[in-house]
Amino acid sequence: MVAASAALLQKVALRSVKTWDGAAAANAAAEALRLRAEELIEQDAFAYLDFVATVRSGGDAGPARDRTIEIPLEIARSASEVVALAGPLAARGNPNLRADAVIAGVLASAAAESAAILVEVNLGAVTRDARLTEASRLARIASGRARRLAAPARPGGRGRALGRSSGTRRQ
């Protein structure tokens, strides 16, 4: 979900270069986040397979278990960064793609929450671990940011509504 969210932000950034000076930098940041997320997907799969193989062989599963915690924590960090990047793109990017930036933020928030759950599950009975605290904090921050992004604009207030009066969006 993080890679897909970052790719969606890349689309918004690329379609915003004519209207926002920060679009090129936003695109570069979104691309870096997407590439990192793609790496983490692969690392997460290998970490889990390594953990299972180590447990089955009767070896010391501690280091392998730690990787099944550290990688989802890194996913939560990346997801949180994607949500943070979605804010400026929703506010300053191509207004026709504001909903895409908001959706990217909402999806990345869900990824941060999902990663926090994996950290908690993989820690098992350990409840006092800084990694769990950090993952939970990142998920809460991402969720709050995503809710603010998705909130409709208040009449007479700042912000833009998600929809367009014509019911269509142009790219």
Side-chain angles (χ1 to χ4, degrees):
M1 279 194 293
V2 180
S5 299
L8 195 52
L9 291 182
Q10 279 189 271
K11 176 181 101 171
V12 176
L14 288 170
R15 299 287 185 249
S16 301
V17 293
K18 293 180 181 176
T19 59
W20 180 39
D21 290 342
N27 179 55
E31 180 178 27
L33 287 166
R34 179 184 55 80
L35 293 172
R36 178 67 179 137
E38 289 170 355
E39 290 173 6
L40 289 169
I41 292 167
E42 187 173 347
Q43 289 177 14
D44 187 53
F46 286 128
Y48 177 73
L49 293 173
D50 184 43
F51 173 74
V52 170
T54 304
V55 168
R56 286 183 180 162
S57 72
D60 177 15
R65 184 174 154 270
D66 281 342
R67 287 193 53 215
T68 69
I69 296 163
E70 292 297 331
I71 294 169
L73 179 57
E74 186 60 31
I75 291 169
R77 289 177 186 136
S78 293
S80 183
E81 289 182 50
V82 170
V83 177
L85 182 58
L89 279 163
R92 297 182 202 104
N94 184 328
N96 296 321
L97 296 174
R98 181 183 183 318
D100 294 85
V102 170
I103 290 166
V106 170
L107 289 174
S109 172
E113 292 179 44
S114 300
I117 291 168
L118 288 176
V119 169
E120 182 178 11
V121 167
N122 293 343
L123 277 166
V126 179
T127 57
R128 292 188 181 262
D129 189 293
R131 296 171 295 188
L132 177 58
T133 303
E134 181 182 359
S136 297
R137 180 183 61 79
L138 289 166
R140 279 191 313 275
I141 291 169
S143 178
R145 285 179 174 161
R147 276 194 309 276
R148 285 189 297 278
L149 276 174
R154 293 186 180 116
R158 296 170 60 183
R160 293 180 271 185
L162 288 180
R164 291 176 41 87
S165 60
S166 67
T168 61
R169 64 183 184 139
R170 294 178 302 211
Q171 297 181 10

